Amino acid sequence: MVTVASLFLSCQLPMALITLHNVTVGFGNAPVLSDISLSIEPNARACITGRNGEGKSTLLKVIAGLLKPDSGEIIRDTALRVAYLPQDVPADRPGTVEEILGAAVADEARLHIARAVASRLSLPLEAEFNALSGGMRRRVLLGCALATEPHLLLLDEPTN
């Protein structure tokens, strides 16, 4: 039997992973982001474009939770897992690929996921991170992001 309550629940739209309402971020005089509002739904794919210095990285850092806005509201799904891959690859990061992937997943039980990701990305687990080329370092960082099985993957720069 269908009741009004169950019919209402079955017609609801899925909740957004994250919603920003009137978010503003500034560094000094002028805001970099001014009254930004957006929602990211599950399975959505989006691209942020703009010239250098227009706030693309700042917006991604706000979404990732790495930067707190000066004003506005951020509503996150309580179980949301976000992975953020920054523009810059670290110049010096000691450890092997396997050690870095293991640190990304934070526990031994999930290390099998990191190893599976490494296999799919053709990453040499025994190689020292600092001995790798810039492209392979970026691939390791992508592997770290993917190994966390994020609901939301933020890639800062098109080459990512």
Side-chain angles (χ1 to χ4, degrees):
M1 177 174 161
V2 175
T3 64
V4 174
S6 65
L7 182 60
F8 176 75
L9 290 175
S10 66
C11 293
Q12 288 180 336
L13 295 174
M15 182 173 173
L17 295 174
I18 188 166
T19 301
L20 281 62
H21 287 292
N22 300 322
V23 167
T24 297
V25 176
F27 302 106
N29 294 338
V32 176
L33 304 175
S34 181
D35 294 320
I36 299 294
S37 294
L38 62 87
S39 288
I40 301 174
E41 302 295 329
N43 301 314
R45 291 188 174 144
C47 176
I48 301 169
T49 61
R51 292 184 213 119
N52 289 343
E54 289 190 338
K56 300 177 301 293
S57 294
T58 300
L59 177 58
L60 290 178
K61 288 175 186 173
V62 168
I63 293 169
L66 301 173
L67 182 63
K68 187 173 176 158
D70 298 327
S71 63
E73 179 182 25
I74 300 175
I75 303 165
R76 295 173 175 271
D77 182 292
T78 56
L80 179 63
R81 283 189 314 272
V82 178
Y84 171 72
L85 188 57
Q87 292 181 37
D88 300 321
V89 175
D92 183 35
R93 186 164 179 183
T96 65
V97 170
E98 185 171 28
E99 291 167 345
I100 290 170
L101 286 169
V105 295
D107 64 36
E108 286 295 318
R110 296 182 55 122
L111 190 54
H112 71 282
I113 296 168
R115 287 183 179 135
V117 167
S119 176
R120 293 193 73 195
L121 294 176
S122 301
L123 297 175
L125 291 175
E126 299 80 28
E128 288 291 324
F129 182 81
N130 289 336
L132 298 174
S133 68
M136 284 300 286
R137 288 180 186 200
R138 186 171 301 281
R139 194 181 298 182
V140 170
L141 298 178
L142 177 60
C144 288
L146 293 172
T148 65
E149 298 181 303
H151 299 109
L152 183 57
L153 177 61
L154 303 172
L155 307 174
D156 194 353
E157 285 298 312
T159 57
N160 285 336

